[in-house]
Amino acid sequence: MNFLRGVMGGQSAGPQHTEAETIQKLCDRVASSTLLDDRRNAVRALKSLSKKYRLEVGIQAMEHLIHVLQTDRSDSEIIGYALDTLYNIISNDEEEEVEENSTRQSEDLGSQFTEIFIKQPENVTLLLSLLEEFDFHVRWPGVKLLTSLLKQLGPQVQQIILVSPMGVSRLMDLLADSREVIRNDGVLLLQALTRSNGAIQKIVAFENAFERLLDIITEEGNSDGGIVVEDCLILLQNLLKNNNSNQNFFKEGSYIQRMKPWFEVGDENSGWSAQKVTNLHLMLQLVRVLVSPTNPPGATSSCQKAMFQCGLLQQLCTILMATGIPADILTETINTVSEVIRGCQVNQDYFASVNAPSNPPRPAIVVLLMSMVNERQPFVLRCAVLYCFQCFLYKNQKGQGEIVSTLLPSTIDATGNSVSAGQLLCGGLFSPDSLSNWCAAVALAHALQENATQKEQLLRVQLATSIGNPPVSLLQQCTNILSQGDKIDRRGSKIQTRVGLLMLLCTWLSNCPIAVTHFLHNSANVPFLTGQIAENLGEEEQLVQGLCALLLGISIYYNDNSLENYMKEKLKQLIEKRIGKENFIEKLGFISKHELYSRASQKPQPNFPSPEYMIFDHEFTKLVKELEGVITKAIYKSSEEDKKEEEVKKTLEQHDSIVTHYKNMIREQDLQLEELKQQVSTLKCQNEQLQTAVTQQACQIQQHKDLYNLLKVQLGKDSHHQGSCNDGAQMNGIQPEEISRLREEIEELKSNQELLQSQLAEKDSLIENLKSQTSSGMNEQSSAAASARDSEQVAELKQELATLKSQLNSQSVEISRLQSEKHELLQKTEAFAKSVPVQGESENVITAKTTDVEGRLSALLQETKELKNEIKALSEERTAIKEQLDSSNSTIAILQNEKDKLELEITDSKKEQDDLLVLLADQDQKILSLKNKLKDLGHPVKEEDELESGDQEDEDDENEDYGLDQDHI
């Protein structure tokens, strides 16, 4: 109390002396009056003064009010006044105008009075016991007072309530109160109680809080409800956020299914009130709490599957494609759908099948990407679409393949009627808007994330840059734009386009030696990178330098040395000469030291306050962290260490192949073992059936034996009484024929029994063999090395067996041939023996004939050999003649070509001669006409000129004379 007196003493303007005395008198009446009415009136008066004179009432009356709560519990009215007075003292919610000095100290007063009140934990326990009272005038002010205490000093009050017996359970009863005011304030109380306290959150959840809160939300009209729905949703977030136990309890309690009606917004979307927007925003955030990427993967995956099975994802996609949705709700819905499908193959496949309600229908992915690359769309919406696309491709190799396939030549729509996702990404990549460049580059990088197949496929993409020019690859076009730098006029950040392209190239080339080879094949790329790194640029360009160093380092680390001019060692030497190793490593470190790097590495969602902060992608920060160290080591490694590392890699690959081989072998043995087990179980069933049949047969045989003995006894008695004369007569109704038939049946049954017993013995032996095989198979499986040796021996034995079989086949063919020859010789010998007239021919003659035959045979063999040699020589001669013939044919072809040329020349000469003859004939005709004209004019003409056969010079002179005469004429 001393520090409060000091505070009051330092007040520049406190209550007047009369009010202070009045408060003192009222406190004395509360403390000393014996009549309940007097104490009640005094407490009511303190209540009326507590708002205006909060400090004075708090200092003088708090102890007396607590004493009233302890002693006057039988009177609800005085308890209510006391609780209201304490609430006015502790609460900072001032409704009336107060003086300036009081305003400055109001926040401190609340926490100071709260500290005084909870200094004795019994006071909080007393307050909890008062909340059990059903009376409205006690319960409602008690709820408000406890809420105010939690707002002022939450952790301390939470700890007191946590150790109080049944403390949380008493507060949970407030949600079941039929009076809405108490129920609603109870929700606010639980909000303050559960804030940042996992233990209390678990207790509240296990006190059936989820069921009650969801019932309240449903009663209030779901998203169309009022402020109560908002309070319940905030409380649900407190219970579920960062609390894996409660999230699991919520999922297993089938409460996710009850969230689906929240998002049935209907078709009439024009009447969106501010409260409905707030409620739906909180509902979407609650869904995101359950599937947040920061949750354990198993818990997130189970919630994602539950949301798909109950139709919640389908409902969210309906909102996503609906019209008339407010912009902030649409943005939050996109973010929610993103996290519901992130890393869940089933949900990702469903999202890929969603179409927008347009004509013709377009995939939802395409519609969203159109918004992402449209610079007129809001920035937060474009970020949300990028996040959605990233989540769709996260651990989704099937989706990555579908996106990349839309860029390949075989799948592009030639008609141009529809726009694909790949075309939109390329359009954004080469747009004049830098933000579109960055978003498209990051989206395309996510299509390649941890997918070497798609990195190789993307190398096939060709782009038509302009009409008349040959197409260039996408990789080449990216490097071309990168090398142009600031020469292109773009809207937005200066470095955003280059950073996006560098992130795309680094992702593309990492762990893909083929892409590295394609990149290095362009001779301009390495000089450009080294030039960028070596320059001394400003702080803005340092990030670009660092990314260029990372790209060059990737080109070294994942280089397979397939290009002679750009092998690892040569690139290292280039760095050492042009840049310097230390300088290169320093530039590489600029990336992780950038102020926006750590921000992007925290959460997968691209959440930026403005476009200029949009520099790094979350997945790219992981790549940088992974590659920075290995590139540094690779730069400092010598060529010998590189060779050793390559040898180690090859050894590991061989080891992996051997291990894979043994794994396959063990897998096959497991399958064989399973088959054997199934056979054993089948044979056991058959054995049991046979044993049952044998038992039944034995019972039947025993019955027939008993019947047979009975018949024998009866037959003996009848024969003793009636004599031998009645042998053929009926005996007790049984004829002798029937007896013989029964004996035959008995014999047949005996034979059947023996047969069944023999079959049973065979089955038992088969079962034993299978058991031995099974045990041997299990022994083989238990030791991988032994099984490997056995398999190698089996392979060798199989190979030897195949060799022996082939030898045996050849020998059998040879034996059959010899036998046929022997048979023929025997036939010839017999025929020869029959043809000899003298039967007693001596063996010497036969031997001589045999020798003669052998000689003939050897002679024939020698002739055959000589013929073979001759054939060989002839074939060689034939080859030589063929070669000569080929050369002759080529000579003939050449001569034929020359002949054709000569014939063509002769034809041309003949044509020229014909033309000359025609010209001469024309000339003769002209000369004749000229002579006739000269005769007509009276000039003498020598007739002998026509008959004269002079030389060509005379004729030329005459022709010239004629020409002169003609000119003269």
Side-chain angles (χ1 to χ4, degrees):
M1 295 292 289
N2 292 331
F3 76 94
L4 281 177
R5 290 194 181 93
V7 170
M8 186 177 177
Q11 244 182 343
S12 61
Q16 296 181 4
H17 186 66
T18 54
E19 282 78 8
E21 292 179 352
T22 303
I23 293 170
Q24 183 63 46
K25 290 178 181 178
L26 291 173
C27 290
D28 292 339
R29 285 177 62 188
V30 172
S32 60
S33 180
T34 57
L35 295 176
L36 182 60
D37 290 339
D38 292 342
R39 293 198 302 275
R40 186 188 305 121
N41 293 331
V43 174
R44 186 191 300 117
L46 288 171
K47 174 189 170 185
S48 62
L49 294 171
S50 60
K51 287 186 178 181
K52 189 173 182 180
Y53 304 108
R54 180 181 172 193
L55 177 62
E56 185 67 18
V57 174
I59 292 174
Q60 299 190 39
M62 180 174 284
E63 292 183 0
H64 303 295
L65 294 172
I66 294 173
H67 183 71
V68 168
L69 296 178
Q70 294 172 345
T71 56
D72 292 329
R73 292 191 59 174
S74 59
D75 185 66
S76 60
E77 192 173 358
I78 190 173
I79 295 293
Y81 292 147
L83 291 171
D84 283 333
T85 306
L86 289 171
Y87 173 75
N88 292 336
I89 295 169
I90 291 172
S91 176
N92 288 330
D93 300 333
E94 297 287 346
E95 296 181 358
E96 298 180 357
E97 294 184 359
V98 293
E99 298 179 0
E100 292 183 0
N101 293 335
S102 299
T103 304
R104 287 195 296 267
Q105 297 178 0
S106 60
E107 295 182 1
D108 294 334
L109 286 177
S111 59
Q112 290 170 356
F113 284 130
T114 302
E115 188 175 353
I116 294 170
F117 185 83
I118 67 172
K119 193 172 184 180
Q120 299 294 329
E122 295 82 8
N123 295 338
V124 179
T125 306
L126 173 64
L127 190 56
L128 291 173
S129 64
L130 290 172
L131 291 179
E132 293 181 347
E133 298 289 339
F134 188 73
D135 193 298
F136 181 81
H137 296 91
V138 176
R139 203 169 204 184
W140 188 42
V143 170
K144 293 195 296 181
L145 176 59
L146 188 55
T147 305
S148 182
L149 292 172
L150 287 165
K151 286 181 180 179
Q152 297 294 341
L153 294 175
Q156 294 89 326
V157 180
Q158 286 173 341
Q159 195 61 33
I160 295 171
I161 295 174
L162 188 61
V163 299
S164 176
M166 298 296 291
V168 178
S169 300
R170 291 171 181 172
L171 300 179
M172 285 300 302
D173 293 338
L174 298 173
L175 296 181
D177 200 303
S178 58
R179 294 160 293 192
E180 290 189 1
V181 176
I182 295 178
R183 183 199 68 185
N184 298 343
D185 283 350
V187 173
L188 296 175
L189 170 60
L190 290 172
Q191 279 184 23
L193 178 66
T194 56
R195 191 173 290 117
S196 303
N197 193 308
I200 293 179
Q201 290 169 2
K202 292 179 182 178
I203 296 172
V204 171
F206 282 99
E207 289 285 346
N208 209 20
F210 294 140
E211 185 77 29
R212 295 182 186 180
L213 291 172
L214 292 173
D215 288 341
I216 294 172
I217 293 172
T218 304
E219 292 170 6
E220 295 292 326
N222 293 327
S223 60
D224 293 320
I227 189 79
V228 179
V229 174
E230 179 183 348
D231 294 336
C232 291
L233 291 170
I234 294 173
L235 177 54
L236 283 171
Q237 282 194 21
N238 288 351
L239 295 175
L240 293 172
K241 196 169 186 178
N242 301 323
N243 195 317
N244 300 327
S245 175
N246 282 2
Q247 290 174 8
N248 188 46
F249 181 68
F250 190 85
K251 177 187 68 70
E252 291 181 352
S254 300
Y255 296 121
I256 291 178
Q257 288 81 339
R258 296 187 60 179
M259 298 170 72
K260 182 186 174 184
W262 295 356
F263 305 102
E264 295 174 357
V265 295
D267 297 330
E268 60 282 354
N269 296 326
S270 57
W272 283 79
S273 63
Q275 186 61 55
K276 182 174 182 178
V277 171
T278 302
N279 291 344
L280 203 55
H281 203 275
L282 289 170
M283 289 171 177
L284 292 169
Q285 287 182 347
L286 192 61
V287 175
R288 293 185 65 185
V289 166
L290 295 171
V291 293
S292 172
T294 58
N295 293 343
T300 300
S301 176
S302 59
C303 289
Q304 287 172 333
K305 292 176 182 177
M307 289 176 183
F308 174 76
Q309 291 169 357
C310 73
L312 179 59
L313 175 59
Q314 293 85 328
Q315 198 68 44
L316 291 172
C317 290
T318 303
I319 298 177
L320 195 67
M321 294 291 106
T323 56
I325 304 294
D328 54 345
I329 293 298
L330 180 61
T331 302
E332 190 63 22
T333 303
I334 294 173
N335 288 327
T336 306
V337 171
S338 305
E339 294 184 352
V340 173
I341 67 174
R342 187 177 190 269
C344 181
Q345 188 66 53
V346 178
N347 294 4
Q348 289 168 337
D349 291 343
Y350 171 77
F351 183 71
S353 67
V354 175
N355 287 325
S358 59
N359 190 17
R362 284 180 173 176
I365 297 173
V366 173
V367 175
L368 291 173
L369 287 178
M370 291 172 71
S371 300
M372 186 186 77
V373 298
N374 186 355
E375 57 184 305
R376 288 175 294 183
Q377 292 291 344
F379 173 66
V380 289
L381 179 64
R382 298 174 74 180
C383 290
V385 173
L386 176 61
Y387 184 46
C388 186
F389 191 73
Q390 291 174 352
C391 292
F392 170 68
L393 297 178
Y394 183 71
K395 294 184 179 180
N396 183 10
Q397 293 194 351
K398 178 182 176 183
Q400 289 174 325
E402 291 173 354
I403 296 298
V404 173
S405 67
T406 59
L407 283 166
L408 299 179
S410 59
T411 57
I412 293 176
D413 186 8
T415 61
N417 294 328
S418 61
V419 180
S420 66
Q423 291 170 331
L424 287 171
L425 290 176
C426 279
L429 197 62
F430 309 128
S431 166
D433 177 34
S434 61
L435 183 59
S436 298
N437 301 153
W438 191 92
C439 291
V442 170
L444 200 55
H446 278 260
L448 307 176
Q449 201 77 37
E450 297 180 0
N451 196 329
T453 303
Q454 300 312 321
K455 290 178 182 179
E456 296 176 8
Q457 287 291 323
L458 201 64
L459 294 171
R460 296 170 49 203
V461 177
Q462 299 289 323
L463 302 174
T465 54
S466 60
I467 299 174
N469 292 330
V472 298
S473 66
L474 177 61
L475 182 66
Q476 181 63 42
Q477 185 66 9
C478 290
T479 55
N480 290 343
I481 296 175
L482 189 63
S483 61
Q484 291 173 1
D486 294 333
K487 297 177 183 177
I488 301 176
D489 186 19
R490 297 185 184 278
R491 295 183 291 274
S493 175
K494 293 181 179 179
I495 66 169
Q496 205 165 35
T497 299
R498 286 181 289 164
V499 169
L501 289 172
L502 284 167
M503 288 196 296
L504 171 60
L505 291 173
C506 289
T507 305
W508 194 346
L509 268 60
S510 65
N511 203 19
C512 186
I514 298 175
V516 172
T517 303
H518 277 72
F519 178 77
L520 295 176
H521 196 269
N522 185 357
S523 58
N525 288 337
V526 173
F528 167 73
L529 292 178
T530 54
Q532 286 285 314
I533 301 167
E535 288 184 9
N536 292 321
L537 303 174
E539 293 184 1
E540 291 184 357
E541 297 293 330
Q542 286 183 350
L543 177 59
V544 176
Q545 287 184 308
L547 292 170
C548 289
L550 178 65
L551 183 58
L552 186 57
I554 290 172
S555 302
I556 294 173
Y557 184 71
Y558 292 106
N559 193 340
D560 57 359
N561 292 329
S562 58
L563 295 176
E564 186 177 355
N565 294 334
Y566 295 106
M567 297 177 69
K568 285 185 178 181
E569 193 61 32
K570 290 186 177 180
L571 289 175
K572 290 180 187 177
Q573 293 174 0
L574 182 65
I575 289 175
E576 190 170 1
K577 291 179 181 178
R578 283 280 195 87
I579 306 168
K581 291 183 178 180
E582 290 78 10
N583 192 24
F584 179 84
I585 300 302
E586 182 183 358
K587 297 290 178 68
L588 182 63
F590 285 162
I591 303 173
S592 56
K593 293 177 183 177
H594 199 275
E595 57 182 353
L596 298 177
Y597 176 86
S598 58
R599 181 170 185 170
S601 64
Q602 292 173 1
K603 292 182 180 180
Q605 182 181 358
N607 188 11
F608 305 102
S610 60
E612 55 268 17
Y613 288 90
M614 209 170 193
I615 297 296
F616 286 108
D617 173 57
H618 176 75
E619 292 296 328
F620 181 73
T621 60
K622 293 182 181 178
L623 182 67
V624 172
K625 189 176 181 180
E626 176 186 347
L627 292 178
E628 189 174 5
V630 296
I631 289 175
T632 303
K633 290 180 182 178
I635 294 298
Y636 285 108
K637 273 183 184 177
S638 62
S639 58
E640 295 180 357
E641 291 175 342
D642 284 335
K643 290 179 182 178
K644 289 181 181 179
E645 188 174 350
E646 292 293 333
E647 292 176 357
V648 170
K649 284 183 180 179
K650 290 180 181 178
T651 305
L652 290 174
E653 289 175 358
Q654 293 176 357
H655 180 266
D656 291 339
S657 63
I658 294 171
V659 171
T660 305
H661 172 68
Y662 284 133
K663 284 182 178 178
N664 294 331
M665 186 183 298
I666 292 171
R667 194 177 293 111
E668 291 175 359
Q669 290 179 352
D670 288 339
L671 293 175
Q672 293 176 0
L673 186 62
E674 289 296 328
E675 291 177 359
L676 291 173
K677 286 181 179 178
Q678 291 178 358
Q679 290 180 6
V680 169
S681 61
T682 304
L683 291 173
K684 282 183 178 178
C685 294
Q686 292 179 358
N687 185 20
E688 292 175 357
Q689 293 175 359
L690 291 173
Q691 286 180 350
T692 305
V694 168
T695 306
Q696 292 176 354
Q697 295 288 345
C699 293
Q700 291 179 2
I701 291 169
Q702 187 63 38
Q703 291 175 0
H704 286 299
K705 282 183 178 180
D706 295 340
L707 182 60
Y708 174 70
N709 293 330
L710 180 61
L711 291 173
K712 281 178 67 177
V713 172
Q714 291 179 352
L715 183 61
K717 289 181 179 179
D718 290 340
S719 62
H720 179 71
H721 287 291
Q722 297 179 4
S724 62
C725 62
N726 294 330
D727 288 341
Q730 183 178 1
M731 294 177 294
N732 292 331
I734 300 174
Q735 296 293 339
E737 292 83 358
E738 189 174 356
I739 294 172
S740 62
R741 182 176 60 78
L742 291 173
R743 288 177 180 174
E744 290 175 358
E745 288 182 0
I746 290 168
E747 293 297 329
E748 184 178 356
L749 291 172
K750 284 182 179 180
S751 63
N752 287 337
Q753 183 187 12
E754 293 175 356
L755 178 62
L756 290 172
Q757 286 179 350
S758 64
Q759 291 178 357
L760 182 62
E762 291 176 359
K763 298 295 182 183
D764 288 338
S765 63
L766 182 59
I767 289 169
E768 291 297 327
N769 291 332
L770 288 173
K771 285 182 178 178
S772 62
Q773 291 177 5
T774 305
S775 62
S776 65
M778 292 177 68
N779 292 331
E780 289 176 359
Q781 184 182 5
S782 63
S783 59
S787 64
R789 291 195 299 272
D790 292 341
S791 62
E792 291 175 356
Q793 292 176 0
V794 168
E796 293 175 358
L797 289 172
K798 284 183 178 179
Q799 189 173 0
E800 291 178 3
L801 180 62
T803 306
L804 292 173
K805 281 184 178 179
S806 62
Q807 293 177 358
L808 181 62
N809 290 330
S810 61
Q811 289 178 0
S812 62
V813 171
E814 184 69 16
I815 289 169
S816 62
R817 186 179 64 78
L818 292 173
Q819 285 179 350
S820 62
E821 291 180 359
K822 178 183 177 183
H823 184 65
E824 290 175 0
L825 289 172
L826 287 172
Q827 288 180 351
K828 290 179 180 179
T829 305
E830 289 175 0
F832 180 78
K834 289 178 181 178
S835 64
V836 176
V838 183
Q839 297 292 331
E841 189 176 7
S842 64
E843 294 180 357
N844 294 327
V845 176
I846 296 171
T847 304
K849 289 182 178 181
T850 304
T851 305
D852 186 23
V853 170
E854 290 178 352
R856 291 178 182 177
L857 182 60
S858 62
L860 288 172
L861 290 173
Q862 185 66 28
E863 289 178 1
T864 303
K865 187 174 181 182
E866 292 175 355
L867 287 172
K868 285 182 178 180
N869 293 330
E870 289 179 1
I871 289 168
K872 185 176 180 182
L874 289 172
S875 64
E876 291 176 355
E877 290 178 1
R878 180 186 174 190
T879 303
I881 291 169
K882 188 176 180 181
E883 290 176 355
Q884 292 176 1
L885 181 61
D886 291 339
S887 62
S888 300
N889 288 334
S890 61
T891 306
I892 289 168
I894 294 168
L895 293 173
Q896 184 68 32
N897 291 332
E898 292 179 355
K899 179 185 176 184
D900 293 338
K901 290 179 182 179
L902 291 172
E903 287 179 351
L904 185 60
E905 290 176 359
I906 290 167
T907 304
D908 293 339
S909 299
K910 286 181 179 180
K911 188 175 180 181
E912 289 177 0
Q913 289 176 0
D914 293 337
D915 293 340
L916 289 172
L917 288 173
V918 172
L919 289 171
L920 289 172
D922 292 340
Q923 192 174 11
D924 290 339
Q925 188 68 28
K926 287 179 182 179
I927 292 169
L928 183 61
S929 63
L930 289 172
K931 283 181 178 183
N932 293 329
K933 285 181 180 181
L934 288 171
K935 286 180 181 181
D936 294 339
L937 293 170
H939 288 280
V941 178
K942 293 179 181 181
E943 297 293 336
E944 60 269 13
D945 291 342
E946 295 176 1
L947 300 173
E948 197 175 11
S949 57
D951 56 1
Q952 186 66 34
E953 294 177 358
D954 296 336
E955 287 182 3
D956 292 340
D957 294 338
E958 290 174 0
N959 289 334
E960 290 175 0
D961 294 338
Y962 286 130
L964 291 170
D965 293 338
Q966 186 179 7
D967 294 337
H968 178 71
I969 293 168

